[in-house]
Amino acid sequence: TLPPLDARAEIVVDLDAIRHNVATLKARVPDAQMMTVVKADGYGHGLVQSARAARAGGADWLGVAVLEEALALRDAGDTGPLFAWLAVPGEDYAPAIQRGVDVAAYTVDQLAEIAAAGRSVGVRARVQLKCDTGLGRGGATERQWPTLVEAAADAEQAGAVQVTGIWSHFAC
């Protein structure tokens, strides 16, 4: 066994600084909606605490990676716009859709899963479509994009989804 080690690094999280930084950014672009990303437990600073500080600073939206994070924020009382962008095939989208979380669709198959989950709970799923703009971190490629958009338009016409946006990880 290893002997006890003295801490060589320490992090001190100033939630007032998170609030202040969000407020500063909002003040610079007051007409834009701002999403503050609090994924990965608020980057290790505490999911709920970081989210509350961001909302207090004026964050319109919160972004998280996975559905479990979104549901944890809803469980903690957050009712504002919330976006979760990662899922695996066969993911249970229903609880997030039922609780008003926007989810991402990278493929036609994923969009179909999301639409089916929304229909299962009687809620029109709020979906943001992801396009791959060259970084290769998921999303529809240039070749796949027209098919995804067409499928989303069909699902929207059928009342299964509402497309609320498009997004990407930019390559440059």
Side-chain angles (χ1 to χ4, degrees), residues 1-171:
T1 64
L2 293 173
L5 301 174
D6 291 331
R8 294 173 53 180
E10 175 184 6
I11 185 167
V12 176
V13 178
D14 184 343
L15 295 173
D16 287 336
I18 293 173
R19 180 196 46 75
H20 176 266
N21 291 344
V22 170
T24 299
L25 291 169
K26 274 294 285 185
R28 292 192 183 253
V29 287
D31 295 333
Q33 293 242 334
M34 179 178 175
M35 179 183 292
T36 301
V37 176
V38 295
K39 70 177 188 168
D41 194 35
Y43 293 94
H45 304 321
L47 175 70
V48 173
Q49 300 90 326
S50 296
R52 287 180 178 156
R55 291 283 194 206
D60 302 290
W61 284 79
L62 295 176
V64 296
V66 295
L67 298 178
E68 292 83 1
E69 293 169 324
L71 295 174
L73 288 174
R74 290 294 193 238
D75 289 345
D78 191 281
T79 59
L82 181 54
F83 178 50
W85 58 81
L86 285 180
V88 296
E91 187 87 55
D92 183 7
Y93 291 97
I97 292 168
Q98 197 164 32
R99 297 181 76 184
V101 176
D102 282 39
V103 296
Y106 292 46
T107 67
V108 171
D109 289 343
Q110 187 177 28
L111 178 67
E113 286 185 353
I114 292 165
R119 284 191 298 274
S120 77
V121 293
V123 176
R124 183 177 228 185
R126 294 176 48 90
V127 178
Q128 297 194 27
L129 306 178
K130 184 172 188 200
C131 57
D132 180 359
T133 52
L135 189 61
R137 290 186 64 184
T141 63
E142 184 177 356
R143 185 177 53 77
Q144 298 163 330
W145 183 250
T147 305
L148 179 60
V149 170
E150 183 179 346
D154 291 346
E156 195 168 51
Q157 274 293 38
V161 304
Q162 176 186 1
V163 177
T164 59
I166 60 171
W167 71 287
S168 182
H169 282 96
F170 291 121

